[in-house]
Amino acid sequence: MTATQAAASLLVSQPKISSMETGRRRISPRDVRDLCKIYGVEDQRTVEALIRMAG
């Protein structure tokens, strides 16, 4: 999935996705949860671990 596709799925701008990917923008726990959903991450322990890292 491209950053443009991810942005469209989340209803955000492509530069926001790019900034999160490169670390120029802090990623929120909500962003992590939403990205996991669109990327198909189904293991709840993985999702929770990623959210903790973002928090």
Side-chain angles (χ1 to χ4, degrees), residues 18-31:
S18 180
S19 294
M20 288 189 295
E21 289 177 338
T22 60
R24 291 188 316 255
R25 178 187 186 111
R26 188 169 184 272
I27 188 166
S28 73
R30 180 181 177 168
D31 291 331

Side-chain angles (χ1 to χ4, degrees), residues 14-45:
Q14 184 278 329
K16 177 180 178 176
I17 299 294
S18 180
S19 294
M20 288 189 295
E21 289 177 338
T22 60
R24 291 188 316 255
R25 178 187 186 111
R26 188 169 184 272
I27 188 166
S28 73
R30 180 181 177 168
D31 291 331
V32 172
R33 184 197 68 222
D34 293 348
L35 286 166
C36 285
K37 185 176 180 179
I38 67 167
Y39 291 146
V41 179
E42 296 180 358
D43 181 69
Q44 196 58 37
R45 290 188 311 171

